[in-house]
Amino acid sequence: MANMGLYYMGLRRHIYFSINLVLFKTPDAPMLSRLHTRLISTAAPKPALKYPFFVARNSRGNLPVYTDVRNGGTRYLVLVRNIDGKPDALASELSRNLFPKDSPEAARIQVEVHRSNIIVKGGRWKNDVVKFLQEKGF
């Protein structure tokens, strides 16, 4: 009897997948599966590149900006990951435009590039970096 339940679950799963993969005809695309068109319709179009860098969002749809607290809470780092293109350009934009020129924050900020990641040192500025990237359209 237990084998019958496993067979039924496997059969139900097989029927579900075969129903989802039934081919049909749409006006835009001649022959696509339902699953394929669902994936196509939910994919967001990529914006036109205005900058020499692109910050891709993570799997949850958030910007890849993270905090790292070191030395027992005395050193606070902000990490920006998943940068495509030229991370040096993003680093220079952050150091120049994140804060006004004559502010004390602008005097303290240090931006470093490591491979395709950026490390921002000098303060607790994660929310400022996220806001900066959102204003740029990422």
Side-chain angles (χ1 to χ4, degrees):
M1 212 49 164
N3 290 341
M4 197 62 164
L6 291 175
Y7 175 75
Y8 173 72
M9 290 298 292
L11 183 63
R12 192 170 89 188
R13 188 175 302 134
H14 175 71
I15 291 171
Y16 173 76
F17 281 104
S18 63
I19 289 172
N20 268 343
L21 295 176
V22 171
L23 296 175
F24 69 98
K25 204 170 200 174
T26 62
D28 299 333
M31 294 290 278
L32 292 174
S33 68
R34 288 184 188 168
L35 181 61
H36 190 72
T37 47
R38 196 175 311 140
L39 291 175
I40 290 173
S41 63
T42 58
K46 280 195 169 184
L49 291 176
K50 299 184 278 187
Y51 307 105
F53 54 85
F54 180 76
V55 180
R57 291 183 175 253
N58 62 18
S59 61
R60 293 183 179 209
N62 299 323
L63 287 168
V65 180
Y66 306 98
T67 57
D68 189 11
V69 181
R70 296 191 176 190
N71 293 349
T74 61
R75 192 166 73 166
Y76 194 86
L77 306 174
V78 177
L79 307 170
V80 182
R81 298 181 184 166
N82 299 338
I83 302 169
D84 293 331
K86 298 180 180 179
D88 298 329
L90 177 58
S92 64
E93 289 241 357
L94 278 172
S95 61
R96 279 185 285 136
N97 302 327
L98 189 59
F99 299 111
K101 277 190 174 183
D102 298 332
S103 67
E105 291 90 1
R108 283 188 307 169
I109 192 168
Q110 297 174 4
V111 182
E112 295 179 4
V113 178
H114 290 279
R115 296 188 184 108
S116 64
N117 300 332
I118 290 179
I119 300 174
V120 181
K121 298 178 182 178
R124 299 181 179 207
W125 299 320
K126 178 189 183 234
N127 294 333
D128 297 320
V129 171
V130 168
K131 185 178 174 185
F132 176 80
L133 291 172
Q134 286 175 343
E135 288 172 357
K136 293 283 185 185
F138 295 109

